[in-house]
Amino acid sequence: MGRITQRVDPRSIADDLERCGRAAVAVLVAGRIEAFPARVVRRDDLYVGLDPSALTSEGGFGRATLILDDGSFWFDLRAANLRGSMLPAQSVPSGAPDDLAWFVFRAERETAWDYGSLHEEPEE
């Protein structure tokens, strides 16, 4: 018998979370962690839009964590956690609001969970 888990492949829920969920990003700024609400759009790359008035730096962020989540009740809860870096985007992604500061997110590690899909993982 394996282990019961809520873990899922991040790609299996990414589209729904990007379209319907909430997003926030935490970045390292001058040795401190700062968190911001974010807009996320995926074109060829994953773009993260932040309120430009909240930013203290014009550059990118070498360390960033992006959280995409959705759901209000136990079996509706699902989320993806992406860790990586963000570089300023060369242009605003097509169809995205132009009043945000846009960054390209480069994921190095991704995890996701969906409590509505509790399942048994085989033992390794």
Side-chain angles (χ1 to χ4, degrees), residues 82-113:
L82 294 83
R83 293 183 184 195
S85 60
M86 294 191 329
L87 300 172
Q90 299 300 315
S91 60
V92 174
S94 62
D98 62 358
D99 60 341
L100 298 176
W102 287 97
F103 297 85
V104 176
F105 192 92
R106 300 282 184 226
E108 298 167 8
R109 182 175 170 203
E110 300 178 4
T111 57
W113 53 94

Side-chain angles (χ1 to χ4, degrees), residues 31-112:
R32 294 185 348 257
I33 296 172
E34 295 195 22
F36 304 102
R39 286 282 303 266
V40 175
V41 296
R42 187 179 299 269
R43 300 297 182 255
D44 291 333
D45 290 312
L46 179 62
Y47 292 90
V48 176
L50 303 176
D51 178 357
S53 67
L55 301 176
T56 58
S57 169
E58 294 284 325
F61 301 97
R63 291 180 59 191
T65 298
L66 175 64
I67 300 289
L68 304 168
D69 77 311
D70 190 28
S72 298
F73 302 102
W74 177 261
F75 285 104
D76 294 335
L77 297 176
R78 56 192 179 154
N81 176 329
L82 294 83
R83 293 183 184 195
S85 60
M86 294 191 329
L87 300 172
Q90 299 300 315
S91 60
V92 174
S94 62
D98 62 358
D99 60 341
L100 298 176
W102 287 97
F103 297 85
V104 176
F105 192 92
R106 300 282 184 226
E108 298 167 8
R109 182 175 170 203
E110 300 178 4
T111 57

